[in-house]
Amino acid sequence: SDDDDDVENDPSLLAELEEFIACDNTGRSHDQHLPAPSPPSRTRSPKQSPQSQPGVGTGLISELHERRDMYSTALNNSKSANDGMKTRRLDRGLKTLDELIKQVRSGKQIDETDIPPPVGVGVSHTT
């Protein structure tokens, strides 16, 4: 049947297909089975209220120390790579972490959003 061959070249069907594809690229899905993609969540897990969970302070201290070690290693690597902007940013993060560690050790509550984010430590270029 010649009608089936004409379907592939039918200008009205091709225009409808292009319109369908254009709508999908704008985020409006014609297919109700596919949910719209949601942005990744940056919320932290159950550590939101440390005073309600015993032992979280110890976990928080260890997290801060791990993050401090990460920043220290990255700082040394950025210094050896002569990356001035990155060195200054890492140095500020390291000072913030030191201050947060002091506050937690003294029993003060800290806002976990003040903790600098994890950083890649980079690769040391020494041979």
Side-chain angles (χ1 to χ4, degrees):
S1 66
D2 290 333
D3 290 339
D4 289 340
D5 293 335
D6 291 336
V7 170
E8 292 181 5
N9 297 323
D10 185 349
S12 65
L13 287 176
L14 289 173
E16 185 177 343
L17 177 63
E18 289 175 4
E19 181 181 336
F20 180 79
I21 291 170
C23 286
D24 284 347
N25 287 340
T26 63
R28 295 180 311 209
S29 176
H30 291 286
D31 187 354
Q32 297 300 319
H33 301 307
L34 298 174
S38 59
S41 175
R42 302 233 0 140
T43 59
R44 293 185 55 104
S45 57
K47 291 185 182 179
Q48 294 298 331
S49 56
Q51 65 271 29
S52 66
Q53 299 175 354
V56 170
T58 307
L60 185 59
I61 286 277
S62 64
E63 180 182 350
L64 289 170
H65 279 293
E66 287 173 15
R67 191 76 47 92
R68 188 191 186 293
D69 291 342
M70 189 185 305
Y71 269 75
S72 181
T73 302
L75 179 64
N76 290 334
N77 289 340
S78 71
K79 282 180 182 177
S80 65
N82 292 323
D83 189 346
M85 286 179 45
K86 189 173 187 178
T87 298
R88 286 189 295 277
R89 182 175 57 85
L90 292 169
D91 194 40
R92 283 193 309 269
L94 197 57
K95 288 177 182 176
T96 300
L97 286 164
D98 285 338
E99 186 61 36
L100 291 173
I101 290 170
K102 286 179 191 175
Q103 290 177 9
V104 171
R105 281 189 178 153
S106 69
K108 294 181 182 175
Q109 296 294 327
I110 63 165
D111 184 358
E112 290 190 29
T113 60
D114 291 340
I115 300 173
V119 293
V121 295
V123 178
S124 179
H125 295 289
T126 58
T127 52

